[in-house]
């Protein structure tokens, strides 16, 4: 299993706002696990935003939620065709989203660290930003290559 499965990489997305991005992430979580409650998932993303900004690098956000209802970790990568205003004075065109069980503290910290390593790889980020629909498998393989020393 890949760190970010190609089925969880969404390239050239047309979201035009943070709210649309959160709707998109929620919709994809529900498709993955129909027993999840869409309202709870989306609320979890917004509740986390209240705790602090999730823009973690230039033009990159990490919206995430840790919820009791989530049983398995899920990481999604979304590249946007056009940058969106994520917070006042901050635009993003990439989002790495993590959904995690509420009680998975150590594993969650480990995931955050791995995502940070991915984001620090400038060549990978440039490739993702220039990728087209159909490049998902290539992006997933590149992410695996970046993380190989840490497995």
């Amino acid at each position: 299993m890949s760190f970010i499965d190609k089925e969880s990489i969404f390239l050239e997305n047309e979201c035009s706002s943070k709210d649309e991005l959160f709707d998109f992430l929620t919709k994809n979580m529900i498709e993955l696990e129909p027993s999840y409650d869409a309202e709870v998932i989306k609320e979890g993303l917004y509740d986390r935003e209240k705790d602090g900004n999730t823009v973690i690098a230039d033009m990159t956000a990490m919206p995430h939620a840790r919820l009791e209802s989530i049983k398995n970790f899920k990481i999604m990568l979304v590249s946007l065709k056009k940058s969106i205003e994520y917070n006042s004075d901050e635009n993003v065109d990439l989002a790495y989203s993590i959904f995690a069980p509420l009680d998975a503290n150590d594993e969650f910290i480990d995931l955050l660290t791995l995502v940070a390593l991915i984001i620090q790889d400038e060549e990978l980020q440039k490739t993702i930003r220039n990728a087209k629909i159909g490049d998902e498998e290539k992006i997933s393989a590149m992410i695996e290559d970046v993380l190989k020393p840490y497995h």
Side-chain angles (χ1 to χ4, degrees), residues 26 30 33-43 67 69:
T26 299
I30 300 305
E33 183 53 65
S35 68
Y36 290 161
D37 182 321
E39 198 172 302
V40 170
I41 298 288
K42 189 171 180 182
E43 192 176 294
L67 300 166
S69 61

Side-chain angles (χ1 to χ4, degrees), residues 15-19 21 55 59 80 82-93:
C15 295
S16 61
S17 68
K18 184 179 186 176
D19 198 49
L21 175 62
V55 174
M59 301 290 288
L80 302 171
K82 295 180 182 168
S83 65
I84 59 169
E85 183 176 2
Y86 196 81
N87 295 317
S88 58
D89 298 331
E90 285 187 300
N91 289 359
V92 301
D93 63 0

Side-chain angles (χ1 to χ4, degrees), residues 38-53:
E39 198 172 302
V40 170
I41 298 288
K42 189 171 180 182
E43 192 176 294
L45 290 169
Y46 275 107
D47 283 349
R48 172 55 190 87
E49 291 292 317
K50 290 175 193 169
D51 291 340
N53 191 352

